[in-house]
Amino acid sequence: MSDEGETVAELEAVDVLAGAPDAALRGLASLLTPFTAAPGTTLMREGEAAHHFILLTDGEARVVVGERDDNELAIVAEGSIVGEIALLRERPRASTVTALTPVRGLMGGRAAFTQLLAIEGVADKVVTRARRRLAAGLVPVPMTLDDGTALRLRPVLPADQWRLLEADALISAKTRYRRFFSVTGITPATARYLTEVDYIDHFVWVAIDDEQTGVGGASYIRSRSDPSVADISFSIMDELQGRGLGALLMGALAIAARRNGISRFAADVLSENAAMVAILNRAGMEWDMADRGIRHGTMAVPEPAPYGIAADTERSLGALVDEIGFRAWHSLGTTRGSMR
Ligand SMILES: CC(C)(COP(=O)(O)OP(=O)(O)OC[C@H]1O[C@@H](n2cnc3c(N)ncnc32)[C@H](O)[C@@H]1OP(=O)(O)O)[C@@H](O)C(=O)NCCC(=O)NCCS
């Protein structure tokens, strides 16, 4: 195989380039430089100006934040893009990347990055991947329930899908029915849908306890027909219900929604679901007629303070939302989902 043919074959195995047309990959290949690195080689260093990105084609590298070696953010393997976040945000590197094994890859500068992002569908994948990586590195925000229970709130992560499936097996049929209007457990595909989000059109907060176990969550999903409206839903483990977490999650959801350009919430709720109805009524929900026991309503996205969110918590949650929803690189265009 020619050198170019070999590079194109390697590019086909890069996850963000899956399905990209051959011609686009050939154009990109001409701008990339192959490299190899021995274990222990620093591929990128925290704090340095970013001028290049890497497509790993063989081996593994470790991503670490700060001086301490135990501050590992991720292990990245072949098929991954690395170093794209600093280029997207036009900021210095936020982490150090070191080869764990012998590594082979393709390195590109800004021109190659521009070319990569111009391939149809790739910019959205790269930006969403970057947002998920940023989400994984954020420090959860502490909050306390009225009874003194200490919890922390963080955005959902793709790795939560396994925990969600485990948690689903533990919740009561009543809770499952109130959340999903069905008593059958969630499928792996649903768990994936609920956890692999873009944090702009689909946002999920997860409340975790001291052991990092998820004990509840709330989500919004932007409407396709009206981007200013989002459907909301909540789910809290049975033993924590009725202790104020639902209200706090509503406040947190409002913070994320406002920052992402959503002005109204919509919800479908079982008429008998007094706790959910109470939370929504506090925000002035306007209810339609109930249909077969399900009430639909809409309301303006509420202020977080009446839901028990203190001013400093509001600032911290807002900072997390802004960090993940960073304004992407100026030449990416302005499609929703990749820009704010
Ligand atoms: C619905 C749910 C999110 C509410 O969260 P929660 O933490 O249990 O509720 P909170 O403790 O924050 O209480 C919120 C309000 O409901 C009231 N409430 C709580 N439990 C209640 C109950 N069992 N009966 C009546 N009212 C109740 C509270 O007094 C409070 O009222 P207020 O706003 O007037 O002060 C949670 O119970 C849950 O996950 N239920 C199962 C799944 C579900 O129903 N999802 C909603 C579908 S969108």
Side-chain angles (χ1 to χ4, degrees):
M1 207 186 288
S2 67
D3 281 358
E4 192 200 77
E6 208 170 296
T7 305
V8 168
E10 287 177 327
L11 288 177
E12 279 168 354
V14 171
D15 55 4
V16 292
L17 293 172
D22 225 47
L25 295 183
R26 273 200 302 278
L28 178 61
S30 66
L31 297 173
L32 298 172
T33 310
F35 74 94
T36 57
T41 309
T42 300
L43 304 173
M44 289 165 192
R45 193 179 296 281
E46 186 175 339
E48 278 179 0
H51 301 296
H52 72 282
F53 68 100
I54 286 173
L55 302 172
L56 273 186
T57 57
D58 197 21
E60 288 186 347
R62 144 191 260 210
V63 186
V64 175
V65 177
E67 297 296 307
R68 285 178 27 204
D69 216 33
D70 59 352
N71 245 345
E72 182 176 288
L73 261 191
I75 303 280
V76 281
E78 57 210 43
S80 301
I81 185 168
V82 186
E84 81 291 9
I85 295 179
L87 285 177
L88 284 169
R89 299 204 293 178
E90 296 184 319
R91 287 202 212 158
R93 300 267 181 228
S95 54
T96 297
V97 183
T98 311
L100 263 183
T101 64
V103 154
R104 279 192 317 120
L106 300 162
M107 195 179 294
R110 287 180 188 277
F113 198 54
T114 308
Q115 185 104 349
L116 174 100
L117 296 177
I119 301 173
E120 199 184 339
V122 173
D124 270 355
K125 282 189 208 163
V126 172
V127 171
T128 300
R129 175 66 45 92
R131 290 195 167 123
R132 289 179 187 158
R133 286 178 170 174
L134 284 167
L138 294 174
V139 179
V141 175
M143 45 184 45
T144 312
L145 303 185
D146 289 343
D147 63 6
T149 305
L151 297 173
R152 284 170 301 148
L153 215 55
R154 62 162 172 77
V156 77
L157 301 172
D160 286 326
Q161 59 197 277
W162 320 117
R163 299 183 191 118
L164 186 59
L165 286 168
E166 279 167 21
D168 186 60
L170 300 177
I171 62 174
S172 67
K174 181 168 147 189
T175 287
R176 187 177 298 121
Y177 192 70
R178 287 186 165 181
R179 167 64 178 85
F180 295 106
F181 305 148
S182 154
V183 287
T184 42
I186 58 171
T187 62
T190 305
R192 190 170 170 198
Y193 173 70
L194 295 173
T195 52
E196 293 189 357
V197 303
D198 66 6
Y199 304 102
I200 303 290
D201 295 340
H202 185 176
F203 195 102
V204 184
W205 286 116
V206 178
I208 54 172
D209 64 14
D210 284 350
E211 277 143 23
Q212 317 272 351
T213 305
V215 293
S219 67
Y220 76 67
I221 300 177
R222 195 189 301 266
S223 153
R224 284 178 193 277
S225 56
D226 182 349
S228 67
V229 179
D231 269 306
I232 55 173
S233 45
F234 294 68
S235 191
I236 293 171
M237 298 298 278
D238 291 75
E239 60 275 19
L240 267 192
Q241 289 176 16
R243 290 158 65 178
L245 179 55
L248 287 173
L249 284 169
M250 172 58 104
L253 212 49
I255 293 168
R258 274 165 192 265
R259 288 176 128 86
N260 289 326
I262 288 161
S263 54
R264 289 189 76 75
F265 280 155
D268 290 312
V269 183
L270 285 176
S271 303
E272 57 166 59
N273 192 345
M276 196 66 234
V277 168
I279 289 177
L280 297 170
N281 279 344
R282 212 196 289 180
M285 188 74 158
E286 295 157 28
W287 296 103
D288 299 339
M289 292 290 284
D291 181 18
R292 277 164 288 181
I294 296 175
R295 296 171 83 179
H296 174 82
T298 60
M299 63 191 203
V301 172
E303 291 295 331
Y307 286 97
I309 303 275
D312 57 340
T313 305
E314 180 177 350
R315 271 193 299 279
S316 303
L317 293 172
L320 289 199
V321 174
D322 288 348
E323 180 79 5
I324 324 175
F326 66 90
R327 183 173 285 277
W329 200 30
H330 55 82
S331 57
L332 268 181
T334 53
T335 54
R336 209 178 61 243
S338 45
M339 286 282 291
R340 293 192 328 116

